[in-house]
Amino acid sequence: MKKIISLILALVMCVSCCLMFTGCGEKDAYTVGICQLMEHPALGAATQGFMDAVKEALGEENVTFDVQIAAGDSNTCSNIVLDFVADEVDLILANATPALQAAAAATEDIPILGTSVTEYGVALEIKDFKGTVGG
């Protein structure tokens, strides 16, 4: 059951990813920075499912992933996403709440996709959260 849910989430994330890329299909190659809070089977499965879905949608030769593991440290998440911002990646996948918070604090210009986050409204301090961030 968990694998099915992971696959469905990966597909949804892939579609969201394609919609978030500005000019999807107009670029030759994309770089996706992935900040994963720690090594954990569930987090790893979410990251791998996302990568597989994006490669299937955009073509394996058209996307490069920079996967960084923060070893459970939120300060390391901040350093990782600041490197992604400096490298001007096309999208950041923030895997877990501290990674999402770090990414949201680091950039307003690069699209951020969050996964493995229990409550987005709480994590991003959004009052009256309705389920769509988009900001």
Side-chain angles (χ1 to χ4, degrees):
M1 184 64 161
K2 288 182 182 180
K3 287 183 182 181
I4 293 172
I5 292 172
S6 294
L7 289 173
I8 291 170
L9 288 174
L11 180 61
V12 169
M13 289 187 326
C14 179
V15 171
S16 298
C17 170
C18 191
L19 293 174
M20 291 173 80
F21 280 124
T22 57
C24 186
E26 293 178 11
K27 262 180 99 169
D28 291 334
Y30 298 97
T31 302
V32 178
I34 299 176
C35 181
Q36 182 175 311
L37 178 62
M38 67 178 67
E39 292 285 349
H40 186 278
L43 297 178
T47 294
Q48 189 61 54
F50 169 78
M51 290 171 43
D52 291 345
V54 170
K55 284 189 276 188
E56 185 176 319
L58 298 177
E60 192 163 339
E61 66 281 354
N62 296 327
V63 63
T64 303
F65 298 99
D66 183 358
V67 181
Q68 302 288 322
I69 310 295
D73 183 36
S74 59
N75 290 325
T76 303
C77 287
S78 295
N79 292 335
I80 289 169
V81 297
L82 286 172
D83 285 345
F84 293 159
V85 171
D87 292 342
E88 297 180 346
V89 299
D90 296 297
L91 176 76
I92 296 173
L93 173 67
N95 192 342
T97 301
L100 177 66
Q101 292 169 326
T107 184
E108 293 180 3
D109 299 323
I110 299 172
I112 302 165
L113 184 60
T115 187
S116 308
V117 176
T118 303
E119 177 57 59
Y120 288 86
V122 172
L124 298 175
E125 298 177 357
I126 301 171
K127 296 184 188 308
D128 301 322
F129 180 67
K130 303 289 187 230
T132 303
V133 179

